[in-house]
Amino acid sequence: MHNTTSMLVELGAIILALGLLGRFAGRVGFSPIPLYLLAGLAFGQGGILPLDASEDFVATGAEIGVVLLLLLLGLEYSASELVTSLRTQYPSGAVDFVLNAVPGAAAALLLGWGPVAAVALAGVTWISSSGVIAKVMRDLRRLGNRETPVILGVLVIEDLAMALYLPILTALLAGAGLAGGTVTLLISLGTVGAVLYLALRHGRLISRAVSSDNPEMLLLVVLGLTLLVAGVAERLQVSAAVGAFLVGIALSGDVAEGASNLLTPLRDLFAAVFFVFFGLSTVPADIPPVLVPALLLALVTTATKVGTGWFAAKRAGIKAPGRWRAGGTLVARGEFSIVIAGLAVATEPRIGPLATAYVLILVILGPVSARFTEPLARRVTARFPGRAAQPALAGAGGPVGAVGAAGGEGATGVGVGTETDVEIDSEFDGVLDAGLDGGLDGAIGDGLDEGFGDGPGGELDGELDGGIEGDEDGGVGPDRGGPRTARAKG
């Protein structure tokens, strides 16, 4: 009885503290993730007030939080959207992987942590935070910008790659050799392929079997099915998170929308518990020794994410201001970096403090980068002497740049660039594009240059209003016209 009472008191205190921290973060326009991590550090081993009675419950809640994070992520995408994004955006995904996973792996090897830790830290530095980025884009009113589908495309590729990466990491952490890892990868590939096939061919039948007009029944069926599949996936060493993600992909239409609405509050609750649990399992005294490596790694991967966004936006034909915005927006790391570190911390405990410090830095730096990368690039390029402007259209005699002002609205209805666009393009194309485009553009077929295709549905597309929101690109693109549907899944 005493243990139950203590657990209820501790659990109530944790949830109340999380609510207050989340409210504070919302008032200042800040992501609550770093505050949740700090709360876990404060109440964990070596913290201000260690918690004992509720530790087992919090650990179970953290596992459910990971499952719900991936389930809701899967509900945001349909199988057709994933296939389209994979077909059109894989060059950007390859650049994203090389530029952002390699620094993490190299850092782990330099620190002497071994190859398994290198694979884990590569994932920590590779995956951007979809939740933080979604909030930042809404706050900055950029959901109607031309670079938004490009950003979504990179995020979709990262999320789909998680379905292959997590089983490999799980097998390596379990001590499986080359043969065991290969079998796990084949199982994962087969499972992902089978789910995508069923969702494409028979998605309506699956959704109809799960559907219910009673919200209570829908919640119980979807949650029960997700936990069951996650458990089976974990038993097969495919990762519970991947199993939950695949369940989300298999559901579509009204079922996906209804389940998302019902499960979002549960996701938010248990995801917060997960971040607290990660902080609880990290000793605060272990963080100061890794602050310098975490800061250096954050600076390097901030630059590489900006390069990723630049490359992806350039492939879509977006001018320099939009390229800078895309790169700056992708900088934030968050929930999935912590998920990956949480899987690895039992095998390599030193990853925990480094990942905590790294995420704390970038979850704070991410919104700042999204807001100021493009204005800073514009100010830097303004220091260079202007070069001769190129004609806006074939046969046009006047200089470009007569239309639109730097930082203002795209005032014309045609694709005439602004003066700022010309300056940034002329100064930086030769530097960034040579390294990023040289090895890929020659190998990419013309069919891949058609653009993003149908972007992912979900919370971002639901708010695309089709208007021009202060875009400095100087022109109205084809994707910025009419309103878009609230969900693209169906």
Side-chain angles (χ1 to χ4, degrees), residues 267-312:
R267 188 255 337 249
D268 294 341
L269 169 62
F270 284 104
V273 171
F274 166 73
F275 293 124
V276 169
F277 175 74
F278 188 83
L280 289 173
S281 61
T282 303
V283 180
D286 293 339
I287 292 181
V290 297
L291 272 179
V292 172
L295 181 59
L296 292 175
L297 195 57
L299 293 175
V300 170
T301 52
T302 294
T304 55
K305 273 294 182 183
V306 172
T308 298
W310 174 280
F311 173 81

Side-chain angles (χ1 to χ4, degrees), residues 126-146:
W126 173 22
I127 306 296
S128 297
S129 171
S130 301
V132 174
I133 290 173
K135 184 179 188 308
V136 168
M137 292 175 68
R138 284 196 301 268
D139 292 345
L140 295 178
R141 303 191 177 204
R142 292 181 180 174
L143 294 174
N145 283 17
R146 293 187 62 189

